Amino acid sequence: MTLEEFFCEVPKAAVAFSGGTDSAFLLWAAKQYGCDVHAYYMKTAFQPEFEMEDARRVVEALNIPMTVLEKDILAVPEAAANGPKRCYYCKRALFTQLWAAARKDGYFCLLDGTNASDDADDRPGMQAIRELEVRSPLRECGISKSEVRRLSEEAGLFTSRKPAYACLATRIPTGTAITPELLKKAETAETALANLGFHDFRVRLMEDGGARLQITEEQMPLLFSKREEILTILRPLFSSILLDLEARAKSV
């Protein structure tokens, strides 16, 4: 099945929109093939501010309506506890609310941006999405991440080169309870590094109050050239600042 064929079968749909590469392309394709599409963005403490800014930029360019929904995700005990299945409970809560909003607005098909490259079979979050009967057109049509980027580039979407981004909860060690303070530390640190010119990196919080920086090999020289600036910014946030000498693999 092609995306054009998919949207011939699904002429009206809601899209769970993260502001990322995959769901941005999915919105573009829906609009391109005549689907009555509505984007829904879930705002939680797990999403940094720039993601919503990117989401707004995409829907404005595509002239697609977007509803911003808010969820106190830390009020979901299993999500805040940050156990091995945190993502399952988080997705379950978010997509349940998304479904309710979509149905209220008259949309009875809910889509997400999972692509054919995603190893979805054993991911807790994907289990929740399957249980809630959310469809993934990119995956169903066999469209890989590299194809999403290529087609997004051809479509003129600025998200075509946007690095993959996992939610802020992934910066906190599994088993460490998630608090607003820890999330704020992670977001503040990553925003500061982005402002210094870094991209496709992570700031991992450590159980002892320190932080571990994961940088791609090509950006190592930049890190050492800005070492003092980085220390000045991050020292107030963390008890120690370590560099992972195993360079971070570039996002696909």
Side-chain angles (χ1 to χ4, degrees), residues 98-124:
L98 262 171
W99 255 128
R103 289 189 177 110
K104 183 178 179 182
D105 292 339
Y107 293 88
F108 299 96
C109 183
L110 179 58
L111 314 177
D112 89 316
T114 304
N115 66 64
S117 300
D118 288 327
D119 184 13
D121 292 338
D122 60 351
R123 288 166 56 182

Side-chain angles (χ1 to χ4, degrees), residues 117-209:
S117 300
D118 288 327
D119 184 13
D121 292 338
D122 60 351
R123 288 166 56 182
M126 294 299 102
Q127 178 188 346
I129 287 173
R130 286 194 300 271
E131 290 175 359
L132 293 171
E133 299 182 337
V134 177
R135 296 187 67 178
S136 304
L138 303 179
R139 187 172 176 82
E140 290 183 34
C141 295
I143 299 174
S144 67
K145 185 71 173 192
S146 60
E147 289 177 290
V148 169
R149 290 197 183 280
R150 176 180 63 81
L151 294 169
S152 296
E153 182 80 19
E154 292 174 3
L157 297 171
F158 77 90
T159 50
S160 64
R161 299 184 183 182
K162 184 175 178 178
Y165 189 87
C167 80
L168 290 169
T170 63
R171 310 305 193 268
I172 299 169
T174 300
T176 298
I178 300 173
T179 65
E181 292 74 23
L182 291 177
L183 293 170
K184 185 63 177 176
K185 280 187 177 184
E187 182 175 5
T188 299
E190 293 197 347
T191 299
L193 289 185
N195 289 339
L196 290 176
F198 292 92
H199 57 84
D200 198 5
F201 66 93
R202 297 286 186 268
V203 176
R204 305 285 186 190
L205 278 60
M206 299 165 63
E207 292 179 354
D208 64 359

